[in-house]
Amino acid sequence: MPGGRLTQQDRQQIALGLADGLAYAEIARRLGRPTSTITREVMRNGGPTGYRAELAHRATERRAHWRRQATPRQPTSVSQADGRDAAAVREYAEVFTTVLMSSGLPKMMARVLGCLYTTDSGSLTAAELVQRLQVSPATISKAIALLEGLELVRRERDERRRERYVVDNDLWYQSMVRSARDNTQLAETARQGVTVLGPGTPAATRLESIARFLDFISESLSRAAEQAREVLHANPEAPSAGTAPRAE
């Protein structure tokens, strides 16, 4: 029933929907489920091209079995010390992580980033991440190194000289600028191919078209990132629900 656990028949319908090229939202509508449930189910079990209903069902049963073995039989609190619903927070963090994965981040990088962004302080130590995500210190270290390479996380020292991993608005700005630089470099490389392959040839024309497209995207992305940074710094409460500042 809607809101309950996915059944084996539900998973078969998801597999059929993916095979037919349906969007997650349409599959969810047909099953009477939230889109986030379908997104999370698919990304947990091989992604849109690797999802198999039977394998997904068995994997879910194994995870449920492990959780029953690992969870002590004692009453659990519904809310956290800050008054939030603990189950709702965990559910949201999982959805946020799944969306990060669907955008291209590997699973552990997405889990670390999701954990940091759903923490009020926006920063955690390696030990805190290990405890929250229940993985090894080496796993956290590797994920952090990769996130740093993408400029999505930075390191700071707190008052106790502990190394903390931090996320904030500036990191998104830096990530966008980096993306624009990468596009510019790709455009320049595409133009080098025009000379090698000969101007006017089909291959050269294709590369020139790619270069022009990426030039436009890079310029637009850089301009938008600068404008957004200025607006957000000047007015932290600026609208964020899909609205953009009006051009003067």
Side-chain angles (χ1 to χ4, degrees), residues 190-229:
R191 283 204 174 86
Q192 292 173 10
V194 173
T195 302
V196 173
L197 297 168
T201 63
T205 300
R206 187 181 307 115
L207 288 173
E208 177 62 29
S209 178
I210 291 171
R212 292 173 60 194
F213 175 82
L214 290 173
D215 281 341
F216 181 84
I217 292 297
S218 298
E219 183 180 348
S220 300
L221 187 59
S222 296
R223 189 185 307 115
E226 290 289 349
Q227 291 175 343
R229 191 186 198 194

Side-chain angles (χ1 to χ4, degrees), residues 223-225 227-229 231-232 235 238-248:
R223 189 185 307 115
Q227 291 175 343
R229 191 186 198 194
V231 169
L232 291 173
N235 179 16
S240 60
T243 59
R246 184 179 299 175
E248 297 295 337

Side-chain angles (χ1 to χ4, degrees), residues 43 97-111 113-114 146-147 150 152 172:
M43 296 307 298
T97 298
T98 301
V99 172
L100 290 173
M101 289 168 59
S102 66
S103 72
L105 277 183
K107 182 177 180 178
M108 187 47 60
M109 292 170 65
R111 290 188 68 198
L113 205 58
L146 293 171
L147 287 167
L150 295 175
L152 292 175
W172 282 110

